[in-house]
Amino acid sequence: MNEKTRRPALAKAGRSSPTLEDLATAAGVSRSTASRAINGGLKVSPEAQAAVDAAIVALGYTPNRAARSLVTRRTASVALVIPEPDARVMMDPYFAAVITGVNEALRETDMQLVLLMSRTGDDSARTIRYLRGGHVDGAIVVSHHRADAWVESLGDTGLPTVFIGRPWDTGSGIPFVDLDNFEGGRLAAQHLARLGRTKLGTVAGPGDMTAAVDRLEGWLQGLREAGLQPGPVVHGDFTTPGGADAARNLFAQAPELDGVFAASDLMALGVVDAVRGAGRRVPDDVAVVGFDNHAILAPGGIGLTTVTHPVADMAEAAGQLLLRAIEDPGQGMDPLIYPPELVVRGSTVG
Amino acid sequence: MNEKTRRPALAKAGRSSPTLEDLATAAGVSRSTASRAINGGLKVSPEAQAAVDAAIVALGYTPNRAARSLVTRRTASVALVIPEPDARVMMDPYFAAVITGVNEALRETDMQLVLLMSRTGDDSARTIRYLRGGHVDGAIVVSHHRADAWVESLGDTGLPTVFIGRPWDTGSGIPFVDLDNFEGGRLAAQHLARLGRTKLGTVAGPGDMTAAVDRLEGWLQGLREAGLQPGPVVHGDFTTPGGADAARNLFAQAPELDGVFAASDLMALGVVDAVRGAGRRVPDDVAVVGFDNHAILAPGGIGLTTVTHPVADMAEAAGQLLLRAIEDPGQGMDPLIYPPELVVRGSTVG
DNA sequence: CCATGACGTGAGAGCGCTCCCACCGACCCT
DNA sequence: AGGGTCGGTGGGAGCGCTCTCACGTCATGG
């Protein structure tokens, strides 16, 4: 009757990105055919496919993810959950490697990475609600402490989830990717023992993280196997200043130490620093072994003897694991354990 | 006629999360009222509001973002674009601080952070298509090189965009948050000049990044103002090994240097290392000034004199700027420039 | 020769939500 | 009293997409 009812159509024609309908019209096919052509092109004639392809380019068409997601119940995005309360901890190159690796796994897909950092307890409630709300197709959870048990409940929600680093409760059968941290600690012990070091101190990681606990146990086991007494053990927080503090603490307890194992390279850096600050030489007086094999330049141009920890690769594997889990859910997956290797550098052998 | 037509209804009743319809039914109100109650509760009676609130809890209702997004044309997510081709560069604490800061800005909103790292040229095409496709409400672009000009075209797409770090082309009027890098460089020069250092070397950053160029220019300007000749200038890549290499290069050119300005703390660490490797002392023989004020322990327990660069704060500000831009688009925004400060530590004064 | 596919196609419904609009009582003003 | 306004409400349309289904149109086979 009047022109008012046309308003929506006019508005649509005005700006905004082209819809599938527009695309189909431009290609001279139906919406259905256009849709098929976009999604794999099964049951589409070559001519129709070509027409649609051309129209896509001509119109600069991008499918509306919201609309697609609404009907497919897929969001084409995965969450990377970092339950780290402390911003300072984010500085750890570990997270950079994780992000890089996960991103790499997603590169060839159209999946997007949604970053979920929850710090306060309040936040974690929001996070879990978000994850359960079906806003992502899957989740990768990284570096969680014993207190972060809530993330482990993700296993029950049916949301495909992969952990990077062994979760505290493996009973729920959530797949995870981890380093054989125990073996890594053992390698460090073997190395120092073989060098003839006998008075060994330990800068362990936080006791509420599986990686730290495993490394410590492996290290102690290695010492035992070598017939050595474990010296003092101090826990650090995986940071360099923390490592330095721990080392000072260590030497206060046992000034005669001739070797120190730090459960991370960052802490090892602090250890080296503290050793030198006390007027001792590395490695001559005190040999230092780190963990992670970050490309860190140790002070004085010496390299840091360390245990490899291919975080980026592992994160990428976790991403691929997750993609598989999203493809066909319900299929159980075995944990993926990477073997560590010792890398000998100047901090233990002159 | 038969029961087949009921299948969808039955399926819906079966599993899957409750819809707004379900919520409304449970609350004894209409879908419209339920919707209003959820979205701010305007024009909703207290009773209705209470009923809906109760139903939300009872059903564990979460709005379907896809459906909402479909009609509101808002996605409740923003992109953090990192056009860094090199995974190693991601290790820079800078990015960790950026991510932390942006995340902080988004905390109180329901916005999610989508990470977009584009490395190859292929990727950048995908990235820009994604951004233009209306899949996010806004974008924050960080650390882009001169070659990454494509990101600056974002300004034309109408997508609210904020840069962290001045873009090369400020003509397009894209808002950005930056440090006064020029002034920072100048502060470093003033400091070393005041200490009586006269033979000064420079480890600059990559010449294709505005921050590096600005710091260099400020530094040179500061030297000029102090009546000093600029010594040799070598460009590093903002990494520690790169800084060490650059420093060695520097001392090969001019062994008599008694002060070095490195355009980042990471590089400064490498410089200190190289200086000591050459048998000189810091700060006695060579004073070293860094840039960024990362909480880095300099070798030997001395602190690093540096220029503050509150990246996390700036990133948070960028996030807030973006949120404002999303709220009411089309409104021009002035750049936000943070003043740097000199922090004097052991690497310049014994 | 018509049944039987395989293949390509288009119409239509509907995913869960918001928003416009019409409605309805309660209240206030001439 | 009658005609406003106004807070609160529900119905309906429609966002852009996928997917089921029925409908041609050809080749193939009995």
Side-chain angles (χ1 to χ4, degrees):
Chain A
M1 213 169 243
N2 59 29
E3 296 297 305
K4 261 200 213 147
T5 56
R6 285 182 169 270
R7 191 178 45 76
L10 288 174
K12 196 203 312 183
R15 25 73 210 293
S16 116
S17 46
T19 74
L20 184 59
E21 192 79 56
D22 302 336
L23 183 73
T25 307
V29 298
S30 74
R31 208 177 56 245
S32 309
T33 302
S35 174
R36 272 186 294 259
I38 288 166
N39 302 297
L42 256 73
K43 308 251 187 189
V44 177
S45 67
E47 303 84 56
Q49 182 72 52
V52 173
D53 287 346
I56 289 175
V57 175
L59 271 61
Y61 172 76
T62 322
N64 182 317
R65 283 166 95 99
R68 176 178 281 178
S69 171
L70 184 56
V71 41
T72 59
R73 270 108 203 302
R74 293 281 227 87
T75 63
S77 62
V78 303
L80 179 61
V81 183
I82 305 182
E84 257 325 327
D86 193 341
R88 205 193 48 206
V89 180
M90 265 295 294
M91 297 289 165
D92 198 313
Y94 176 76
F95 291 106
V98 166
I99 292 175
T100 305
V102 172
N103 201 267
E104 191 61 27
L106 265 38
R107 282 198 59 200
E108 297 299 330
T109 70
D110 70 335
M111 291 277 189
Q112 294 300 335
L113 222 209
V114 177
L115 215 59
L116 255 40
M117 309 206 309
S118 35
R119 15 194 94 202
T120 65
D122 206 49
D123 256 7
S124 68
R126 264 180 25 123
T127 300
I128 201 138
R129 210 170 338 117
Y130 181 78
L131 290 173
R132 307 185 78 125
H135 303 312
V136 290
D137 296 336
I140 293 180
V141 182
V142 79
S143 164
H144 65 298
H145 300 248
R146 188 173 254 143
D148 300 326
W150 57 271
V151 291
E152 299 183 9
S153 74
L154 283 176
D156 319 327
T157 66
L159 183 76
T161 306
V162 175
F163 279 74
I164 296 181
R166 177 169 61 84
W168 279 100
D169 177 15
T170 53
S172 44
I174 305 174
F176 64 92
V177 176
D178 203 357
L179 186 76
D180 188 342
N181 285 298
F182 183 91
E183 180 61 17
R186 213 165 137 262
L187 286 174
Q190 284 175 358
H191 176 62
L192 286 176
R194 224 166 263 155
L195 290 174
R197 309 286 173 153
T198 53
K199 304 180 183 59
L200 303 173
T202 313
V203 178
D208 66 342
M209 302 181 71
T210 53
V213 171
D214 292 356
R215 288 173 195 179
L216 178 57
E217 287 183 355
W219 158 254
L220 294 176
Q221 166 77 13
L223 293 183
R224 233 172 288 129
E225 288 171 3
L228 293 173
Q229 291 291 332
V233 175
V234 175
H235 286 265
D237 60 357
F238 277 154
T239 71
T240 298
D245 286 348
R248 278 187 283 270
N249 193 327
L250 224 47
F251 283 97
Q253 292 181 47
E256 75 283 5
L257 294 180
D258 60 4
V260 174
F261 168 55
S264 83
D265 281 357
L266 250 36
M267 292 199 299
L269 226 54
V271 171
V272 170
D273 207 61
V275 167
R276 289 188 170 155
R280 327 267 272 264
R281 289 162 305 162
V282 175
D284 313 63
D285 301 326
V286 182
V288 178
V289 177
F291 206 112
D292 283 342
N293 195 29
H294 290 149
I296 297 179
L297 192 74
I302 66 165
L304 194 60
T305 294
T306 191
V307 177
T308 57
H309 184 187
V311 181
D313 289 350
M314 289 164 60
E316 186 174 346
Q320 275 150 358
L321 224 56
L322 182 64
L323 290 176
R324 283 227 308 277
I326 292 172
E327 279 311 309
D328 52 332
Q331 178 189 303
M333 297 202 144
D334 291 330
L336 209 56
I337 310 292
Y338 279 66
E341 277 170 40
L342 188 79
V343 180
V344 179
R345 298 207 186 92
S347 70
T348 55
V349 293
Chain B
M1 218 173 236
N2 59 29
E3 295 297 306
K4 262 200 210 146
T5 56
R6 287 184 167 270
R7 190 176 45 74
L10 288 174
K12 197 202 313 182
R15 29 66 209 301
S16 118
S17 47
T19 74
L20 184 59
E21 192 79 56
D22 302 337
L23 183 72
T25 308
V29 298
S30 74
R31 208 177 58 246
S32 308
T33 301
S35 175
R36 272 186 294 259
I38 288 168
N39 301 297
L42 257 71
K43 309 251 184 188
V44 176
S45 68
E47 304 83 55
Q49 182 72 52
V52 172
D53 287 346
I56 289 175
V57 175
L59 272 60
Y61 172 78
T62 321
N64 182 319
R65 283 167 95 97
R68 176 178 281 178
S69 170
L70 185 56
V71 40
T72 59
R73 268 110 202 302
R74 294 281 226 88
T75 62
S77 62
V78 303
L80 179 61
V81 183
I82 305 183
E84 260 320 330
D86 194 341
R88 204 193 51 207
V89 179
M90 265 293 295
M91 297 290 165
D92 198 313
Y94 177 77
F95 290 108
V98 166
I99 292 175
T100 305
V102 172
N103 201 267
E104 192 59 30
L106 265 37
R107 281 199 60 199
E108 298 298 330
T109 70
D110 70 336
M111 292 277 189
Q112 294 301 334
L113 223 209
V114 177
L115 216 59
L116 255 39
M117 309 205 308
S118 36
R119 14 194 99 201
T120 65
D122 206 49
D123 258 6
S124 69
R126 263 179 27 122
T127 299
I128 201 137
R129 210 173 336 118
Y130 181 78
L131 291 173
R132 307 185 78 125
H135 303 312
V136 290
D137 296 336
I140 293 180
V141 181
V142 79
S143 164
H144 64 298
H145 299 251
R146 189 172 252 143
D148 300 327
W150 58 271
V151 290
E152 299 183 9
S153 74
L154 283 177
D156 318 326
T157 67
L159 184 76
T161 306
V162 175
F163 279 74
I164 297 183
R166 177 169 61 84
W168 278 101
D169 177 14
T170 53
S172 44
I174 305 174
F176 64 91
V177 176
D178 203 357
L179 186 76
D180 188 343
N181 286 298
F182 183 92
E183 180 61 18
R186 213 165 137 262
L187 287 174
Q190 285 174 359
H191 176 62
L192 287 176
R194 223 166 264 155
L195 289 175
R197 309 284 174 154
T198 54
K199 302 179 187 61
L200 303 172
T202 313
V203 178
D208 66 342
M209 302 182 71
T210 54
V213 171
D214 292 356
R215 288 173 196 180
L216 178 57
E217 288 183 356
W219 157 256
L220 294 176
Q221 166 76 13
L223 293 183
R224 233 173 287 130
E225 288 171 3
L228 293 173
Q229 291 292 329
V233 175
V234 175
H235 286 265
D237 60 357
F238 277 156
T239 71
T240 298
D245 287 348
R248 277 188 282 270
N249 193 327
L250 223 48
F251 282 96
Q253 290 181 47
E256 75 284 3
L257 295 180
D258 60 3
V260 174
F261 168 54
S264 84
D265 282 357
L266 249 35
M267 292 199 300
L269 226 55
V271 171
V272 169
D273 208 61
V275 167
R276 290 189 170 153
R280 326 266 273 263
R281 288 162 305 160
V282 175
D284 312 64
D285 301 325
V286 181
V288 177
V289 178
F291 206 112
D292 284 342
N293 195 29
H294 289 149
I296 297 180
L297 192 73
I302 65 165
L304 194 59
T305 293
T306 191
V307 177
T308 58
H309 183 186
V311 181
D313 290 350
M314 290 165 60
E316 187 175 345
Q320 275 150 358
L321 223 56
L322 182 64
L323 290 176
R324 284 227 308 279
I326 292 171
E327 280 311 310
D328 52 331
Q331 178 188 303
M333 297 203 143
D334 290 330
L336 208 57
I337 309 292
Y338 279 67
E341 276 170 40
L342 188 79
V343 180
V344 179
R345 298 209 186 91
S347 70
T348 55
V349 294

